Amino acid sequence: MKTIDELLAEGVAGKRVFVRADLNVPLANGEITDDGRIRAVQPTIAKLAEAGARVIVASHLGRPKGAPDPAFSLAPAAKRLGELLGADVAFATDTIGDSAKATVAALADGQVAVIENLRFNAGETAKDDAERGAFADRLAELADVYVGDGFGAVHRKHASVFDLPARLPHAAGYLIATEVGVLKKLTDEVKRPYVVVLGGAKVSDKLAVIDELLGKADRILIGGGMAYTFLKALGHEVGISLLQEDQIPKVNEYMRRAKDTGVELVLPVDVLVSKDFPDLKGKTPADFEIVGVDGIPKEKEGLDIGPKTRELYASKIADAETVFWNGPVGVFEHPDYAGGTTAIAQALVDSSAFTVVGGGDSAAAVRTLGFDENAFGHISTGGGASLEYLEGKTLPGLAALEG
């Protein structure tokens, strides 16, 4: 995989460099609530601009249905990128149309432009190779060189991620190089004990990574909504908690395999429950209580791990040399159900291990809960991409850059 430093050594002054970034930031009323992904790609963009490239930044945002939708415009991201760069950033109101062509043509050496959301064109995500390729052909007309730095999208076989690099000289940006280097420390160069913390809503989302990690991790700590399928498999009442009953046979298989292979699979011993899902503005349900996992009422829902589980999990992390965490272990957006996720984050901060926060909601939780990002070894920008890499899958965006 060619590096951006190699590309810079060849010279990029005056060249149109297409940077496939990941500017898929969360928005509330048109305002960015977490600019972590923009900050993560900034070093690549800044370095190219300093070297005199005419930088064209492209990304997706959300899931528009292949047509323009103002709710998913990249305009706020372009504005924030300009603030971070300390320079004007031009914005094209389309992807391959007149605005994109004119905006790119107007760039001088060292200037930066953002084109509109790639998913406003159906060709970006098309499953048909020809349709996707036709969109990639049009994107290629805008540029001379391609730099892939949108790690959060490299597990997608999309036009700008997979097809476009084949049409232009290409290299990997600093973010992708960093992310891949970190993931190798979780797969090929692991220091032990290796502890994995998995949360999130659905156990089905994590089955493949659990399957792979049963042969690699020393301990796997389970939390979040997915924990209740494990608890149900053990015969516990889980009330109205999140449950994927069809996954119980698979969960039972994994628990047997963990025992046979000596992997410590750790489940909650107590949980916080309520009849009502919490008002995320701060209102606490009157029936909020802490119960052991053998005492979950039929009419209540588990919404966080309890204090005994927090202590247990912190103790399981304390002596680790490597920790990977993906998925909050409770409804962290509400203060009464953020204690578990806070405890996991604090345990990583307190650990002397190499700690990796696996993107997505985990990264959002770290920032929302006020932790210093520098206290962690690495905060990934791609939850899904990180998981698929750990599952041993070939990621289309990385394969394209290696071609």
Side-chain angles (χ1 to χ4, degrees):
M1 189 182 296
K2 188 174 185 177
T3 69
I4 189 171
D5 286 332
E6 291 173 316
L7 178 66
L8 290 165
E10 294 171 359
V12 294
K15 292 184 178 179
R16 301 170 300 164
V17 180
F18 188 104
V19 178
R20 197 345 176 151
D22 179 8
L23 308 181
N24 185 28
V25 291
L27 298 171
N29 300 317
E31 297 293 325
I32 296 170
T33 58
D34 180 358
D35 67 355
R37 285 176 170 167
I38 304 175
R39 287 185 285 111
V41 77
Q42 178 196 354
T44 291
I45 296 168
K47 196 73 172 180
L48 288 166
E50 288 169 12
R54 303 177 182 191
V55 186
I56 306 145
V57 182
S59 176
H60 70 286
L61 192 152
R63 297 180 181 273
K65 301 184 183 301
D69 183 337
F72 297 106
S73 175
L74 278 174
K79 179 184 176 183
R80 180 60 182 145
L81 177 60
E83 292 169 352
L84 292 169
L85 291 172
D88 291 337
V89 169
F91 182 66
T93 56
D94 57 28
T95 55
I96 53 175
D98 291 342
S99 179
K101 292 174 184 175
T103 300
V104 171
L107 287 175
D109 293 1
Q111 290 187 331
V112 178
V114 173
I115 63 173
E116 187 55 284
N117 192 336
L118 292 163
R119 290 186 183 173
F120 285 0
N121 189 302
E124 169 68 1
T125 59
K127 297 198 183 311
D128 180 75
D129 291 349
E131 185 180 354
R132 230 178 34 250
F135 183 49
D137 287 339
R138 297 287 300 279
L139 290 173
E141 293 172 3
L142 297 174
D144 306 304
V145 181
Y146 176 94
V147 171
D149 214 26
F151 180 75
V154 293
H155 58 314
R156 306 294 188 191
K157 193 176 181 181
H158 291 170
S160 66
V161 175
F162 179 74
D163 302 273
L164 186 54
R167 289 157 168 78
L168 294 169
H170 51 268
Y174 292 122
L175 175 60
I176 280 185
T178 298
E179 295 273 13
V180 172
V182 166
L183 289 169
K184 284 182 178 178
K185 291 183 180 181
L186 301 178
T187 51
D188 304 331
E189 307 158 8
V190 183
K191 291 184 178 179
R192 299 184 180 279
Y194 178 20
V195 178
V196 175
V197 185
L198 296 176
K202 295 181 179 179
V203 69
S204 57
D205 292 342
K206 302 294 194 318
L207 287 176
V209 76
I210 294 172
D211 183 61
E212 187 70 18
L213 289 169
L214 280 172
K216 294 180 178 177
D218 298 298
R219 296 179 200 134
I220 301 176
L221 317 182
I222 303 293
M226 63 182 288
Y228 299 97
T229 301
F230 281 85
L231 294 174
K232 184 71 172 181
L234 291 174
H236 293 298
E237 170 64 54
V238 297
I240 58 172
S241 306
L242 285 170
L243 174 65
Q244 290 184 286
E245 205 146 3
D246 61 322
Q247 300 298 334
I248 288 177
K250 182 62 72 175
V251 163
N252 276 321
E253 177 198 330
Y254 286 169
M255 288 193 287
R256 285 193 298 268
R257 278 178 54 197
K259 186 176 181 180
D260 291 343
T261 57
V263 175
E264 192 178 358
L265 188 63
V266 189
L267 298 174
V269 295
D270 62 344
V271 293
L272 275 68
V273 298
S274 171
K275 284 182 182 178
D276 300 310
F277 195 80
D279 177 348
L280 296 183
K281 293 180 181 178
K283 182 181 177 182
T284 302
D287 58 355
F288 165 100
E289 65 174 322
I290 300 166
V291 298
V293 294
D294 56 353
I296 299 174
K298 289 185 178 180
E299 74 279 6
K300 293 191 177 183
E301 177 180 10
L303 296 165
D304 194 12
I305 58 173
K308 291 180 181 178
T309 304
R310 297 169 200 172
E311 291 180 13
L312 172 64
Y313 284 12
S315 73
K316 297 296 183 181
I317 291 168
D319 67 343
E321 289 292 329
T322 304
V323 184
F324 173 71
W325 171 33
N326 182 278
V329 296
V331 186
F332 72 90
E333 297 91 344
H334 186 284
D336 286 329
Y337 300 99
T341 301
T342 300
I344 295 296
Q346 188 62 54
L348 266 67
V349 169
D350 294 341
S351 170
S352 60
F354 176 63
T355 56
V356 179
V357 180
D361 287 340
S362 312
V366 163
R367 297 184 182 109
T368 299
L369 297 172
F371 285 89
D372 180 359
E373 294 179 44
N374 295 320
F376 302 88
H378 179 69
I379 299 180
S380 179
T381 57
S386 296
L387 286 179
E388 291 197 16
Y389 189 102
L390 294 181
E391 290 164 17
K393 292 182 178 179
T394 297
L395 305 188
L398 297 184
L401 292 174
E402 289 166 353

